[in-house]
Amino acid sequence: HKMSRKVEGLVELTNDLLDLSRIEAGLIVQDKGQVQLMDILGNLVEFMQSRAKEKDIRLTLETANLPVISADPKSMEEVFSNLITNAIIYTPEGGKVSVAGAVKGDFLEIRISDTGYGIASDQLPLIFERFYRVKTEKTRSIVGTGLGLPIVKSIVEAHNGTVRVESEEGVGSTFWVRLPVS
């Protein structure tokens, strides 16, 4: 059992590394199409409800009328899948995770907020670095490659967007992804 977990971890790591090198080679964003982010977010939130319910977490999506953007749909799915999954993983039982989208000038802004463990201010600048994982008593048992957020950042930046985070320990974290509309 422990062995298969280890193998799964290695497979995950290999896939993450492949993703990262593909993004850095500029290959991942060649498949641009017209993407409706609300549809992608809607599907992801629906798909992750069971995982959220297992932890008694209220996972909600505030729907909004968002313009279609030019983006690679698979990459967009990966970005928001990563961020929503993280929010669920790092939020204790009975918490809340909310996803919302809005138009801000020439950008779409997608916000993922949680009532999770939060990230210490000295660790915040590091979370987008490869293999960096926040280790506290509360998060020690969480398994992952430490490549999720670097992949998110690479994809978003390859789409000429930005990702930022605000967090308070014991209160929660909010990630904002901004992507150009035109």
Side-chain angles (χ1 to χ4, degrees):
H1 181 69
K2 208 163 181 189
M3 195 65 195
S4 70
R5 282 261 309 270
K6 275 223 160 74
V7 172
E8 269 168 40
L10 281 173
V11 170
E12 192 187 334
L13 178 61
T14 311
N15 288 337
D16 284 355
L17 281 169
L18 282 169
D19 276 349
L20 207 51
S21 58
R22 266 197 225 111
I23 294 159
E24 285 172 352
L27 295 175
I28 198 127
V29 215
Q30 285 180 347
D31 246 358
K32 279 196 177 173
Q34 296 298 294
V35 172
Q36 177 46 266
L37 278 185
M38 248 324 139
D39 293 348
I40 288 179
L41 295 172
N43 290 336
L44 285 171
V45 165
E46 203 177 318
F47 176 68
M48 296 195 186
Q49 283 301 346
S50 58
R51 185 183 283 198
K53 284 202 175 80
E54 273 170 30
K55 287 181 76 178
D56 190 27
I57 287 171
R58 223 175 102 218
L59 172 59
T60 56
L61 172 64
E62 290 169 42
T63 51
N65 245 337
L66 298 183
V68 166
I69 60 168
S70 168
D72 174 57
K74 271 206 165 47
S75 309
M76 288 297 110
E77 211 165 86
E78 179 149 17
V79 163
F80 295 108
S81 165
N82 249 310
L83 292 173
I84 298 168
T85 301
N86 277 358
I88 294 170
I89 289 173
Y90 288 98
T91 296
E93 312 242 324
K96 285 208 293 260
V97 172
S98 67
V99 183
V103 181
K104 297 272 161 88
D106 297 332
F107 287 86
L108 286 191
E109 192 169 74
I110 309 294
R111 169 178 63 75
I112 293 103
S113 298
D114 63 53
T115 57
Y117 304 122
I119 305 155
S121 54
D122 59 333
Q123 298 195 313
L124 266 186
L126 303 169
I127 62 170
F128 290 104
E129 290 184 10
R130 291 175 188 206
F131 304 120
Y132 184 81
R133 298 194 56 222
V134 175
K135 283 272 199 295
T136 66
E137 278 312 311
K138 295 192 174 90
T139 64
R140 202 170 291 291
S141 60
I142 295 169
V143 195
T145 60
L147 285 169
L149 288 175
I151 288 172
V152 164
K153 186 172 192 268
S154 298
I155 292 174
V156 171
E157 288 178 352
H159 283 82
N160 304 312
T162 56
V163 55
R164 69 187 180 88
V165 57
E166 278 177 22
S167 187
E168 202 181 320
E169 275 188 290
V171 179
S173 308
T174 300
F175 285 81
W176 286 270
V177 173
R178 297 189 76 160
L179 294 158
V181 170
S182 46

